[in-house]
Amino acid sequence: MSETWNHVACPGCSCLCDDLSVQFDGDRLLSFEPACPRGEQWFRTRCESSPRGPQVAGVTVDYDSAIAVAVEILRAADYPLIYGLSQSATPGQRAAIALADALSGVADTTASLDHSAAIMALQEFGEVTCTLGEIRNRADLVIFWGCDPASSHPRHAERYSIHPRGRWLPGGRDDRTVVMIGTAGQVEQCRLDAEGTTPDITIAIQPGQDFETLSLLRRLVRGDHVADVPAPLGQLVPLMKGCKYGAFFYGLGLGSGDDSESSAAAPIDHVNVAALLQLVAELNAFARITARRMGRHGEVSGADNVLCWQTGYPFAVDFSCGYPRHNPSEFSADGLLARGDVDAAVLVGAETIPRFSAAARKHLESIPTILLDHPAAQLPFQSTVEFSTAVYGLHASGTTFRMDNVPLALHAMVPTKLPTDADVLTDLMNGLAIEAGIGSRRDPRR
């Protein structure tokens, strides 16, 4: 019999829209409302895919045998890497961090590939920020920098930033001024939503000129005399200083020179993000202005939040000395693998592996790997041990975090016999403790 679920949260992107109505007939998706191609694809591919049993070297085995092989891999490892976590939820993320701690290894999230520079800038300069609900109700000026929201977050404009009628914005879109800033030749094609809504003002800057543009804006905001100011920037400054409430949304294109969602493989240069955060802070002398990062993956904010509250650091955390240490240049997954520093890896989601450097991918394929991923995942290489795991928000309940760090509950709607990643990681911990005859930590001097 079919069953309908209302007020469902969608992990398809970091907007985590929680107003969905979905109908299932067993594991088949019958309807998905309101329309969102990205969200519907997320649900359809995960609920209608055929689950795989645990595998060792490509051969299907029973669950206990796969756990035993995985435990042996981790027992033999001197410095293992636990990486991913952006397709997980709080239970799986906590279990992954506990495993990294017990193994005296490294825990890293996909933020080290996509948002490390943004986080570093935040750590250095701070951030004036807010919830998406505050922007929905108050922001009469919305500025997108280095992102294409129609592609990366299809319902962002509809739900939060452009179209909704807010408490102090009863006219919705008519009460807002929308600006799109990005790389010349690309930003002109960016749209706000799937219907092709365009911004009021589009500002194209040359590749690699984000920092210079932000520095110029900061001078203009301070009232410095600047000769030959480009007309669009001269138009933007009074808008920023004269609005009641402004919001910046910045994406991977800030600093990478590419505003598209799929091709920003290099991290954002943190000085560009720092310049934007400083501009926002200085604008608060004139109006309430905030900034929000456009997270790439559905749960990247949650992975960073959980790691931060468990260790004090948001990503690239090393436990080899018996306590957490943080150094992005030393402990990020891509760097560790490229240098050949780790001798085993537990991958909790493999969606970002193709974007590792060639040296990192080569080393990853040469060491024992344990992969936990959803049944529909496209696996980039043959792992040593593979577990298909239940999907949070579909097969299993859990907590996830929206791009503004607001936690939302995910519900189990479709029955499955698959274990969650938290189940698998906990069984690995238990297997290690039984075999070693210890508690939860190895001697870090091993």
Side-chain angles (χ1 to χ4, degrees), residues 14-16 130-138 156 159-161 249 292 294 402-404 406:
S14 57
C15 282
L16 283 168
C130 62
T131 66
L132 293 176
E134 190 174 343
I135 291 171
R136 175 191 179 103
N137 283 294
R138 295 177 180 273
H156 192 281
R159 288 268 292 166
Y160 305 115
S161 57
F249 290 100
R292 282 249 62 101
M294 297 283 273
R402 203 167 61 186
M403 66 161 63
D404 56 353
V406 171

Side-chain angles (χ1 to χ4, degrees), residues 222-248:
R222 289 195 298 263
D224 295 350
H225 175 71
V226 181
D228 301 322
V229 176
L233 298 184
Q235 182 182 6
L236 178 61
V237 170
L239 287 175
M240 294 189 298
K241 295 175 70 173
C243 70
K244 294 180 179 178
Y245 191 113
F248 280 84

Side-chain angles (χ1 to χ4, degrees), residues 85-232:
L85 309 182
S86 291
Q87 297 295 326
S88 183
T90 298
Q93 291 153 355
R94 294 186 69 171
I97 297 164
L99 181 62
D101 188 9
L103 293 168
S104 300
V106 179
D108 191 22
T109 76
T110 59
S112 66
L113 278 180
D114 292 333
H115 301 294
S116 60
I119 296 172
M120 291 165 63
L122 186 155
Q123 290 173 326
E124 187 172 355
F125 293 102
E127 184 179 42
V128 183
T129 190
C130 62
T131 66
L132 293 176
E134 190 174 343
I135 291 171
R136 175 191 179 103
N137 283 294
R138 295 177 180 273
D140 58 329
L141 174 65
V142 180
I143 302 172
F144 293 93
W145 196 310
C147 53
D148 183 6
S151 173
S152 60
H153 302 78
R155 297 188 63 211
H156 192 281
E158 170 193 342
R159 288 268 292 166
Y160 305 115
S161 57
I162 307 301
H163 299 299
R165 299 177 185 274
R167 183 173 180 181
W168 287 277
L169 299 166
R173 175 69 178 93
D174 293 337
D175 287 343
R176 293 183 173 92
T177 300
V178 184
V179 181
M180 186 83 75
I181 305 174
T183 305
Q186 297 180 24
V187 69
E188 295 86 355
Q189 282 73 51
C190 292
R191 296 294 180 264
L192 300 173
D193 55 27
E195 285 69 41
T197 303
T198 57
D200 299 303
I201 301 171
T202 298
I203 300 177
I205 58 179
Q206 294 303 309
Q209 294 296 304
D210 297 87
F211 181 80
E212 288 78 4
T213 302
L214 286 162
S215 298
L216 178 58
L217 286 173
R218 292 179 63 194
R219 291 187 62 192
L220 294 173
V221 167
R222 289 195 298 263
D224 295 350
H225 175 71
V226 181
D228 301 322
V229 176

